[in-house]
Amino acid sequence: MDRGPALQALLPAELAALAGIELVDARRLVSCIHNRGGLPARCPPTIRRVALDAVRRAGELPTLEVIERRASELDPFVKYAFRTPDGREVETVRIPLEKPGRFSICVSSQIGCALGCAFCATGQMGLQRNLETWEIVEQLRLVRAELPEGTRAHGVVFQGMGEPLANLERVLAAIRVFSEPSAQSIDRRNITVCTAGLPAGILRLAREAPDVRLGLSLGDVREGRREGLMPIERAHPLSEVLDAVAEHARTTRSAPMWAYTMLAGINDDDDAAHALAATLREFTDRVGVRPRLSLIPWNRVEGTPFERSADEALAAFRVALRERGVGSIVRYSGGSDVDAACGQLARSQPLSQLGRGRLHQ
Ligand code: SF4
């Protein structure tokens, strides 16, 4: 049975056209959907009854079933598991920001992922399917509805399950809803799309969503090494990806975030730091924009051969970078006791049985 369009995925102008109502009513109804939990049962005085009825007839408000919400005991992360209408499972993480009362919501864009990064739990699942626009939007809508009073969703990061640039059409549509003032009203500069490196998608993101930030997962920058961690290197070598990232930076004038997942004995020695520093400096000199470098201590993923870099190795790596003129931040990756940390989202089992899973790194 055709359920009709999912109303939470529509902008006011789209809703107005679909239902044949005035834009002012559409805006108010979009606001009801996103900020008051759904369409009102009775028509409030600000909205015409005929408009509400028309919207009810025009589409549906499907939702995701919350099957688990787990608060970390180590830190104030909350990991959500949702079930889609076709019985699949997807994960979302609420991440507290440094400034109290603000959260970033880490959303998934696919169920599983085809890119198969060796250090990532989602990558071990393979791709099950793309998420629909409404399924991406709904993750934020549901998590935001449960925020403690007086707090707010400050940003969104596409760093959950899946490669967002492989589902870009829907990701762009979701970004439009996220940033629409009458819907989720998230400042686009606080939305980050993280990719393992799909050049065409990076260029399209620069054209169609230039004020959204770009994150790039590196794994390793040394020739012959990156491929072992990130098979996408075979299709799109890092040099090609960095050309696209350079074009993105020139077009948007915003600095990309480079994410470097630290793996003991694999990419955390002096040689790796040297190569990373050289790559970053070459990029900065060539493009005139300096990437922000985030080092991510790897979180254990069951069934993979990796180990997390020791704290001493991480500190030495940072010193080696600094000696070559490159600053870095260590991304605090919390929630590891509920598999909410980077690299740990994988809904192959219930959270209660999940040993150590996977987030897009
Ligand atoms: S790190 Fe990202 S792109 Fe790589 S397998 Fe995991 S979800 Fe996919």
Side-chain angles (χ1 to χ4, degrees):
M1 189 182 82
D2 184 8
R3 294 158 54 93
L7 298 174
Q8 66 267 62
L10 300 178
L11 296 170
E14 294 165 337
L15 185 63
L18 176 78
I21 61 175
E22 289 184 27
L23 188 56
V24 62
D25 287 326
R27 258 198 210 106
R28 287 176 180 146
L29 285 162
V30 165
S31 180
C32 287
I33 290 167
H34 287 273
N35 302 304
R36 298 183 180 214
L39 291 171
R42 290 206 198 125
C43 214
T46 48
I47 300 171
R48 278 172 272 259
R49 166 101 235 159
V50 61
L52 179 60
D53 290 344
V55 166
R56 281 219 177 88
R57 282 193 305 273
E60 296 272 336
L61 262 181
T63 193
L64 302 170
E65 180 192 351
V66 183
I67 47 178
E68 208 156 0
R69 57 171 82 61
R70 260 178 108 177
S72 167
E73 288 177 11
L74 301 178
D75 34 47
F77 279 58
V78 181
K79 178 177 179 177
Y80 288 81
F82 297 112
R83 184 174 291 122
T84 61
D86 63 347
R88 298 174 195 263
E89 295 177 11
V90 66
E91 296 180 350
T92 309
V93 184
R94 190 186 88 184
I95 304 168
L97 298 176
E98 245 172 81
K99 193 160 183 181
R102 291 186 177 193
F103 294 94
S104 184
I105 314 302
C106 176
V107 297
S108 295
S109 55
Q110 298 181 307
I111 300 172
C113 181
L115 269 53
C117 300
F119 47 75
C120 168
T122 308
Q124 319 308 308
M125 295 169 65
L127 177 65
Q128 295 185 7
R129 71 167 171 84
N130 284 327
L131 289 176
E132 297 296 335
T133 303
W134 77 262
E135 291 172 319
I136 301 173
V137 169
E138 194 66 358
Q139 294 171 59
L140 177 59
R141 198 174 80 106
L142 292 174
V143 172
R144 193 168 154 241
E146 294 191 353
L147 286 179
E149 206 168 321
T151 67
R152 68 187 179 91
H154 175 75
V156 173
V157 53
F158 282 86
Q159 204 165 16
M161 300 170 77
E163 163 54 62
L165 298 186
N167 188 17
L168 188 50
E169 196 67 41
R170 297 179 183 94
V171 165
L172 286 168
I175 288 171
R176 288 192 280 274
V177 176
F178 288 162
S179 56
E180 159 62 35
S182 58
Q184 294 293 329
S185 196
I186 303 279
D187 187 329
R188 280 184 172 226
R189 291 167 300 183
N190 299 330
I191 299 175
T192 304
V193 175
C194 296
T195 178
L198 300 181
I202 292 169
L203 297 177
R204 185 169 171 205
L205 195 69
R207 282 194 307 275
E208 298 189 27
D211 30 16
V212 161
R213 294 191 179 276
L214 175 69
L216 174 67
S217 178
L218 290 169
D220 202 318
V221 299
R222 291 168 295 180
E223 217 174 319
R225 296 290 197 106
R226 188 168 190 260
E227 179 180 328
L229 297 175
M230 303 178 72
I232 188 66
E233 170 76 10
R234 273 175 239 140
H236 299 293
L238 186 59
S239 58
E240 180 192 341
V241 174
L242 290 181
D243 283 347
V245 175
E247 186 58 35
H248 183 281
R250 282 192 207 99
T251 307
T252 64
R253 303 313 301 167
S254 81
M257 185 268 288
W258 285 11
Y260 189 90
T261 304
M262 304 277 299
L263 302 164
I266 305 282
N267 65 0
D268 65 348
D269 61 7
D270 196 61
D271 184 60
H274 189 174
L276 177 57
T279 303
L280 193 141
R281 291 183 63 163
E282 189 276 329
F283 182 95
T284 306
D285 292 344
R286 176 159 63 104
V287 184
V289 174
R290 191 179 189 83
R292 294 169 296 132
L293 179 61
S294 278
L295 304 179
I296 307 174
W298 183 72
N299 290 294
R300 194 158 163 61
V301 175
E302 201 77 5
T304 63
F306 303 114
E307 292 295 335
R308 181 189 181 100
S309 294
D311 290 349
E312 302 73 41
L314 176 61
F317 194 85
R318 295 188 76 198
V319 169
L321 289 171
R322 215 166 27 242
E323 283 171 356
R324 292 166 179 109
V326 172
S328 61
I329 58 160
V330 177
R331 186 180 320 156
Y332 177 60
S333 178
S336 59
D337 58 330
V338 291
D339 299 312
C342 285
Q344 292 193 316
L345 298 189
R347 286 304 293 171
S348 52
Q349 321 166 50
L351 288 180
S352 52
Q353 293 168 22
L354 197 61
R356 292 289 176 177
R358 110 203 176 22
L359 277 184
H360 181 115
Q361 302 271 329

